[in-house]
Amino acid sequence: PSARPVAGPPAAPAGLSPAMAIDEPPTSGPKVPSDGPSRARVLVAGAVGVGFLVFGAFAVLRPGDDADVDLDATETTVNSSSSTPNSNSNLTPAVLPAPTSDVAITVPPGADATRMIPASAVVDEVPTWTESTIDVPAPLDGLVAPTEMVVLTSDRLLERIDLPSGRVRSLNVADWAPNLKLALTDDAIVIHDTRYVAIIRDDEPIDLFEVPNGVLLLESWPGTRSLVVTSTGSTGEPGRFVMSTDDGSLQPVTADVSEALLFGAGNFLSTGDLLVNRPGGVYAIGPDQVARRISEGDLLAVGRNHYAIEACDESLQCEQSVVAAGTGVAVPALAGPTTRLGVVDPSTRIAPDGRSLVATDPTRDTGYRQIIDLATGSRVEVGRLSDLFYPDAWAADGSGLFVEDGGVVRFHARDTGEVVALDGIGVVESMRVRPGLS
């Protein structure tokens, strides 16, 4: 699926007070790092443009053409959080190298503010969730690892479904914008439109950050309090940045990281390593954006906790294996062909327990998937995934895969092939899944 084109360059959200207006960039002097998030600041940062193809669907955000702004001299935020840094300390920000040169930022002129998340809808608000429950059918009621499903529905409810308990927490976001997208980090829910990014955490004010050159795609960088942002602007060049979910600051990524993001999505482990195929083997790029070789084979697939490789000897006798990222222990695998022209599709994901993976069905059109048993090589059809960007939709125990089909969430049980629908959550437009809390 592709992001929808924007009718015109976006404007500042409705409801901003004069104190939250975009500041003029300083004309001189060094950039002073922020000590933490502050109330009523505006961070102005953007990205140079990219026009690209996503599984045959062309997605373009209309660029702006105002004067360039030096990223080193300007910070952006439309921020609503308190002046105290976030207290969640189990995650650390991505450590990025200093930019080697100035980055030109194009700040677009105003556009239809009704397309944007209004600051008045989120600034200073602590989310007020309403609670309910749904009936959880077998085999979902027997999950042995808690799983959280987060969905956006057609009537603009953000819903968090805890499984196997069936607890549902709902937040009405109907007043935010008509074209919202959903992403998840390790500790937050991210809602964005084509310009603004809202960070939602339990019992904390919602943060609202701005990316003036537009948001095309967002993905979490696991293991860090940050997102990878793909933007597009006026030059036609890729615009990819890492955004802090604490203060909204943007920093450019290295060329290696940018090239490793296929259609804005990457083959990340939960540790924060981004895995890539390059001449000489498989490389892991850490949050510090420094690469290291981890295998001399070829990368086949990645999951939260595992990666699959194929290694060949001098006579071209090849073996496949699945490697546990935490221990390095490898076991033989029968994955079959999972890459095309050496490209590892980020939607080809290994189950959390390492026993199976979901991959493209080579006999059907793009988007159709199969669950492959890595011990036997047997395959089970799971239909077509409607969202191809990083759909790590495995249950946390690896027992099956969640697929959204025509607004209905269906669970495909891995071992039995049984398919059950999850009722009582409305018509689903977007879905993400992550391990839940025990």
Side-chain angles (χ1 to χ4, degrees), residues 237-260:
E237 294 298 322
R240 293 201 174 105
F241 297 81
V242 171
M243 169 185 277
S244 166
T245 59
D246 287 328
D247 63 13
S249 58
L250 297 172
Q251 291 181 274
V253 298
T254 64
D256 286 336
V257 171
S258 184
E259 291 172 6

Side-chain angles (χ1 to χ4, degrees), residues 46-48 50 71-72 94-103 105 217-221 224 226-231 237-244 249-262 264-266 268 272 274 276 278 285-290:
V48 290
V50 60
L71 183 65
D72 287 336
V95 179
L96 300 174
T100 56
S101 62
D102 292 342
V103 178
I105 300 300
L217 298 171
L218 278 187
E219 181 182 350
S220 169
W221 191 313
T224 70
S226 56
L227 301 160
V228 179
V229 181
T230 298
S231 296
E237 294 298 322
R240 293 201 174 105
F241 297 81
V242 171
M243 169 185 277
S244 166
S249 58
L250 297 172
Q251 291 181 274
V253 298
T254 64
D256 286 336
V257 171
S258 184
E259 291 172 6
L261 298 172
L262 180 65
F268 286 100
L274 173 61
V276 296
R278 290 291 185 270
I285 304 174
D288 58 0
Q289 301 198 59
V290 175

Side-chain angles (χ1 to χ4, degrees), residues 6-13 22 44 62-69 105-113 116 194-196 210-214 233-234:
V6 175
I22 297 175
V44 180
R62 181 175 175 180
D65 55 7
D66 278 10
D68 288 343
V69 179
I105 300 300
T106 302
V107 181
D112 182 4
M116 306 302 143
T194 55
R195 188 176 178 183
Y196 293 97
E210 179 184 18
V211 182
N213 254 51
S234 60

Side-chain angles (χ1 to χ4, degrees), residues 287-301:
D288 58 0
Q289 301 198 59
V290 175
R292 65 189 189 281
R293 187 163 64 183
I294 60 174
S295 171
E296 295 182 355
D298 290 322
L299 185 66
L300 301 177

Side-chain angles (χ1 to χ4, degrees), residues 9-17 20-22 42 44 78 107-120 193 195-196 208 210-212:
L16 289 181
S17 67
M20 298 177 70
I22 297 175
V42 175
V44 180
V78 180
V107 181
D112 182 4
T114 63
R115 295 182 61 86
M116 306 302 143
I117 299 174
S120 58
D193 57 19
R195 188 176 178 183
Y196 293 97
L208 182 64
E210 179 184 18
V211 182

Side-chain angles (χ1 to χ4, degrees), residues 103-373:
V103 178
I105 300 300
T106 302
V107 181
D112 182 4
T114 63
R115 295 182 61 86
M116 306 302 143
I117 299 174
S120 58
V122 295
V123 170
D124 292 333
E125 287 189 2
V126 174
T128 302
W129 302 88
T130 60
E131 294 214 14
S132 59
T133 59
I134 60 171
D135 293 330
V136 179
L140 279 171
D141 59 355
L143 294 181
V144 298
T147 300
E148 182 181 38
M149 175 186 297
V150 181
V151 302
L152 270 173
T153 68
S154 61
D155 54 359
R156 287 297 175 263
L157 284 180
L158 174 63
E159 295 187 331
R160 304 172 61 178
I161 301 101
D162 294 332
L163 299 168
S165 71
R167 179 193 183 198
V168 179
R169 285 165 286 175
S170 302
L171 180 67
N172 191 330
V173 295
D175 295 334
W176 289 19
N179 298 302
L180 297 174
K181 304 296 182 182
L182 173 66
L184 294 181
T185 71
D186 297 319
D187 72 330
I189 298 172
V190 182
I191 301 293
H192 70 94
D193 57 19
T194 55
R195 188 176 178 183
Y196 293 97
V197 179
I199 309 296
I200 305 172
R201 295 186 176 98
D202 288 336
D203 303 321
E204 296 182 21
I206 299 172
D207 288 327
L208 182 64
F209 303 124
E210 179 184 18
V211 182
N213 254 51
V215 181
L216 189 55
L217 298 171
L218 278 187
E219 181 182 350
S220 169
W221 191 313
T224 70
R225 299 176 69 90
S226 56
L227 301 160
V228 179
V229 181
T230 298
S231 296
T232 188
S234 60
T235 68
E237 294 298 322
R240 293 201 174 105
F241 297 81
V242 171
M243 169 185 277
S244 166
T245 59
D246 287 328
D247 63 13
S249 58
L250 297 172
Q251 291 181 274
V253 298
T254 64
D256 286 336
V257 171
S258 184
E259 291 172 6
L261 298 172
L262 180 65
F263 309 124
N267 288 291
F268 286 100
L269 294 166
S270 61
T271 59
D273 280 336
L274 173 61
L275 303 193
V276 296
N277 265 332
R278 290 291 185 270
V282 180
Y283 294 80
I285 304 174
D288 58 0
Q289 301 198 59
V290 175
R292 65 189 189 281
R293 187 163 64 183
I294 60 174
S295 171
E296 295 182 355
D298 290 322
L299 185 66
L300 301 177
V302 180
R304 289 185 59 84
N305 309 314
H306 302 81
Y307 58 94
I309 60 172
E310 183 172 54
C312 303
D313 63 18
E314 62 278 1
S315 63
L316 202 58
Q317 299 301 305
C318 303
E319 293 183 352
Q320 296 181 342
S321 59
V322 172
V323 182
T327 64
V329 173
V331 298
L334 296 172
T338 63
T339 63
R340 295 181 180 179
L341 302 177
V343 175
V344 180
D345 183 348
S347 64
T348 300
R349 299 294 295 176
I350 303 173
D353 60 3
R355 285 180 47 195
S356 51
L357 64 83
V358 59
T360 299
D361 181 349
T363 68
R364 306 181 73 180
D365 292 338
T366 298
Y368 286 94
R369 294 297 197 249
Q370 298 175 322
I371 294 177
I372 303 171
D373 186 304

